[in-house]
Amino acid sequence: MNLDDYLKYVLDNYLTAKKQPIKGNSVAKTIRVIALKVIPAYILHSEKIVKGSVGQGNWAEVPWLAIMNESVTSSATQGYYIVYLFASDGSGVYLSLNQGYTYYTDEYKKKSPKAKVKIVSDYWRNNLVSLDDNKTFSIDPINLKSSNTGGLPEGYELGNICSKWYSLTELDNIDNTELISDLTKLNVIYDELVNKLEGDFAKKNESIIYEKMNNADETLIESTVVGNDSLPEVVSVPKNVRIRSDKKGAGQTSKVDHVAKHVEQVAIGKKGEEIVLKFEQERLKSDERLQNKVSEIKHVSKEKGDGDGYDIESFMVDENTNEIKPLYIEVKSTTSNLTTPFIMSKNEIDVSETYGESYVIYRLYIGEVKNKLYKIFNPFIRTDRIATQFKVWPK
């Protein structure tokens, strides 16, 4: 059985075999065992191994045949490898340069693993010279026709760096020599990637993600879904807020995922400002004195950046003089709870002192179902503060 025969065998027999118990199944055994014999030895070298999988204990929705460099990985759950991924409906197979998605879900858990694997996939698409020179492979997303959202098939789709699709019909008309030629070309790209890892895929991944996050773009931020978009309920300022100590006892350590924390904070901040912007538009519309000012509301941080010390410039009515005045709003958003202290920069504190009662903190809680908001006017005199950082230089 050559590679062409093997790929067609899996597509022709797998869906039927899945209706039977996996234990002792002849199709399952063939897929696992024959996988070791269909890849030419000159592709494998001394460091590469071949594995075929139909699942462990239960049938996999997407079976695969993988070629792995053992200096990087010997498991489809982590690292980088070449893999044939069979569509769950039996319509065809992808030849893919891929990476183990389970590594991201284990390493980052709920801290945006999908955003991180996308960063790494995009990085390699833009930094592999042999991929750029080779027009055989597509960098478009792959679709394994899975209905299992969040499962392993989605992980394979997210981990894909480049691929080539062979439909079942195309395989009937492709010579085995062409399949091996494509595999050889992808092997060159894989070898380039392995060399650029310098032996440690995890450190390289972390470096790629960290560098990207220091220059976070809109696509990445928007991929971090936070709470809901409903207008917030205005609540009273909480009383007796306690400051939790961040000090740890002797021997205690805390591993902080700074990249995930930064992504989350940026996403929360962006969403919070958009919610408050809509809140202000509705607030002004509901006040006859301010209705004609709605179109003049400015999203300052979006238009000019953070240098002005506030995010939104809106309007308020001075209840003593009935005069319409600017209202300078700094949005402080959280998904924790409204009693959580927030951070203000020195610039924000200075600006709040300058504007006094025309400067307000909108402390926004973004919940899964309901959002809440409280306001602190003139926070320079109505908040307590402690220093959390120090500028340090040698004596």
Side-chain angles (χ1 to χ4, degrees), residues 297-305 311:
I297 297 174
K298 298 176 183 178
H299 193 166
V300 177
S301 62
K302 185 175 182 179
E303 297 171 6
K304 299 170 60 178
D311 299 311

Side-chain angles (χ1 to χ4, degrees), residues 178-375:
E178 183 178 343
L179 290 174
I180 297 299
S181 174
D182 291 343
L183 178 57
T184 302
K185 293 173 183 176
L186 190 58
N187 193 47
V188 171
I189 299 172
Y190 181 39
D191 285 346
E192 181 191 348
L193 187 154
V194 170
N195 289 333
K196 288 182 174 179
L197 290 177
E198 299 178 350
D200 192 329
F201 83 88
K203 284 186 178 180
K204 183 63 176 179
N205 285 3
E206 185 175 344
S207 173
I208 291 169
I209 294 167
Y210 184 80
E211 181 179 351
K212 181 67 175 179
M213 282 315 309
N214 278 345
N215 301 282
D217 60 21
E218 290 301 305
T219 302
L220 178 61
I221 299 307
E222 289 174 3
S223 69
T224 308
V225 180
V226 181
N228 70 93
D229 297 305
S230 66
L231 293 180
E233 171 193 355
V234 179
V235 298
S236 300
V237 177
K239 305 294 183 182
N240 302 318
V241 175
R242 294 185 178 182
I243 305 298
R244 178 180 59 84
S245 172
D246 290 326
K247 293 182 179 180
K248 293 186 177 294
Q252 288 184 296
T253 60
S254 176
K255 183 180 179 182
V256 178
D257 184 349
H258 295 286
V259 173
K261 186 176 181 180
H262 179 67
V263 176
E264 184 179 30
Q265 287 174 340
V266 174
I268 293 170
K270 180 180 177 182
K271 180 180 281 290
E273 289 177 21
E274 294 294 340
I275 291 172
V276 168
L277 185 65
K278 293 177 183 177
F279 176 85
E280 280 300 289
Q281 290 168 345
E282 294 301 318
R283 182 179 70 82
L284 267 59
K285 286 178 185 178
S286 66
D287 190 327
E288 292 182 355
R289 299 168 295 178
L290 297 172
Q291 287 175 349
N292 63 343
K293 291 290 188 179
V294 174
S295 62
E296 297 181 36
I297 297 174
K298 298 176 183 178
H299 193 166
V300 177
S301 62
K302 185 175 182 179
E303 297 171 6
K304 299 170 60 178
D306 296 325
D308 284 5
Y310 54 90
D311 299 311
I312 295 169
E313 184 176 334
S314 186
F315 298 91
M316 62 181 287
V317 176
D318 187 321
E319 298 299 340
N320 294 321
T321 65
N322 210 34
E323 180 186 359
I324 296 176
K325 296 181 177 180
L327 179 64
Y328 304 97
I329 303 171
E330 174 62 26
V331 183
K332 299 297 182 182
S333 304
T334 183
T335 55
S336 180
N337 59 69
L338 285 177
T339 61
T340 305
F342 50 87
I343 301 296
M344 289 185 72
S345 68
K346 184 178 185 303
N347 182 47
E348 290 166 356
I349 291 173
D350 290 344
V351 173
S352 72
E353 181 181 17
T354 299
Y355 288 127
E357 296 296 330
S358 294
Y359 189 102
V360 60
I361 294 290
Y362 275 22
R363 181 52 164 164
L364 175 68
Y365 165 70
I366 303 175
E368 291 296 327
V369 178
K370 189 175 183 179
N371 300 329
K372 295 183 179 181
L373 167 75
Y374 70 79
K375 306 176 185 180

Side-chain angles (χ1 to χ4, degrees), residues 61 145-154:
E61 186 176 4
K145 312 293 178 64
S146 171
S147 58
N148 182 19
T149 303
L152 285 175
E154 183 181 18

